[in-house]
């Protein structure tokens, strides 16, 4: 499994959060890079960026590391299907090849849209039915309405919890200038 390029302050913070939940380092996929000091990436996340995340969900999602940290938080909460779908849609919109788009649309449907799918997202039946019709000849925007709904769910539900979370609060403490 390929891990994102996270600065080591995020990796250490995530390890701390996982370990406070009584998860062993042996089973924690995030802790693996912490075992070998030489594998850590240089820390380049800034206090300014982390503080921006609290200004709005839009700012969190527009920064370099915000979506990565937010996704890790959602994974810890066992509710990462929305962010994964949202990110998959961002990638999907960039697909130029018609055949690749058809293949990816079917995959997105199978994973996130189909009732009882492994990571079914919470969308209304009319949006689901529209997607079912549209994936026969998928366009770059056929998941747009579902993506907006998922974004709204994240913004209203999990984003406020993220800002109050131990993970976010510890990250703020970790990168404060006087803690360096």
């Amino acid at each position: 499994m390929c891990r994102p390029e996270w600065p080591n302050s995020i990796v250490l913070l995530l390890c701390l959060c996982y370990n406070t939940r009584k998860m062993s380092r042996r089973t924690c996929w995030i802790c693996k890079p912490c075992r070998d000091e030489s594998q850590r990436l240089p820390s380049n996340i800034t206090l300014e960026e982390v503080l921006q995340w609290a200004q709005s969900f839009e700012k969190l999602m527009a920064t370099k590391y915000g979506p990565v940290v937010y996704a890790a938080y959602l994974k810890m909460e066992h509710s990462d299907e929305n962010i994964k779908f949202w990110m998959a849609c961002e990638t999907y919109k960039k697909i130029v090849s018609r055949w690749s788009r058809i293949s990816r649309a079917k995959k997105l449907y199978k994973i996130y849209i189909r009732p009882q799918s492994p990571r079914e997202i919470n969308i209304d039946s009319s949006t689901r039915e529209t997607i079912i019709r549209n994936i026969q000849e998928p366009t770059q925007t056929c998941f747009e309405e579902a993506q907006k709904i998922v974004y709204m769910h994240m913004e209203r539900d999990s984003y406020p919890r993220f800002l109050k979370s131990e993970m976010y609060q510890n990250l703020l403490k970790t990168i404060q200038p006087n803690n360096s």
Side-chain angles (χ1 to χ4, degrees):
M1 181 173 157
C2 178
R3 75 177 168 88
E5 293 188 10
W6 297 346
N8 65 350
S9 59
I10 292 176
V11 172
L12 290 172
L13 172 73
L14 297 177
C15 289
L16 171 71
C17 290
Y18 267 90
N19 287 326
T20 59
R21 296 193 188 296
K22 308 293 186 231
M23 189 175 220
S24 78
R25 282 188 179 266
R26 212 175 104 213
T27 58
C28 176
W29 61 272
I30 293 175
C31 291
K32 288 177 184 169
C34 292
R35 291 187 195 131
D36 183 2
E37 190 79 30
S38 66
Q39 288 183 5
R40 291 191 191 153
L41 299 167
S43 180
N44 54 0
I45 189 168
T46 65
L47 177 60
E48 179 183 1
E49 179 179 351
V50 175
L51 290 172
Q52 279 182 353
W53 301 348
Q55 293 173 9
S56 72
F57 186 64
E58 185 178 354
K59 287 188 179 185
L60 168 84
M61 296 301 283
T63 62
K64 183 173 182 177
Y65 295 111
V68 174
V69 175
Y70 182 64
Y73 165 75
L74 292 176
K75 186 172 183 67
M76 283 185 358
E77 298 296 313
H78 305 287
S79 63
D80 61 340
E81 66 281 348
N82 286 340
I83 190 73
K84 287 187 176 205
F85 174 73
W86 188 87
M87 289 177 165
C89 286
E90 289 298 295
T91 302
Y92 172 82
K93 288 189 252 183
K94 297 173 185 167
I95 297 173
V96 178
S97 161
R98 178 178 178 266
W99 298 112
S100 295
R101 193 177 321 123
I102 290 170
S103 172
R104 183 62 60 91
K106 288 178 181 178
K107 186 175 181 179
L108 288 174
Y109 173 78
K110 184 179 173 185
I111 296 171
Y112 300 104
I113 307 298
R114 187 178 67 195
Q116 306 300 310
S117 60
R119 295 190 176 153
E120 183 181 1
I121 56 169
N122 183 11
I123 54 174
D124 57 90
S125 60
S126 65
T127 302
R128 191 177 312 275
E129 289 165 11
T130 301
I131 291 170
I132 292 169
R133 281 192 309 272
N134 289 342
I135 63 169
Q136 303 311 311
E137 275 299 320
T139 64
Q140 289 175 317
T141 60
C142 73
F143 293 100
E144 195 169 85
E145 187 60 31
Q147 190 181 19
K148 287 177 185 175
I149 291 168
V150 160
Y151 187 93
M152 181 192 67
H153 287 315
M154 291 188 296
E155 185 174 35
R156 290 185 182 166
D157 299 334
S158 53
Y159 171 66
R161 288 194 314 271
F162 166 72
L163 293 178
K164 294 174 186 170
S165 72
E166 182 181 357
M167 174 188 275
Y168 181 70
Q169 296 303 316
N170 286 344
L171 181 57
L172 278 174
K173 290 175 191 169
T174 301
I175 62 172
Q176 291 289 334
N178 58 351
N179 289 349
S180 299

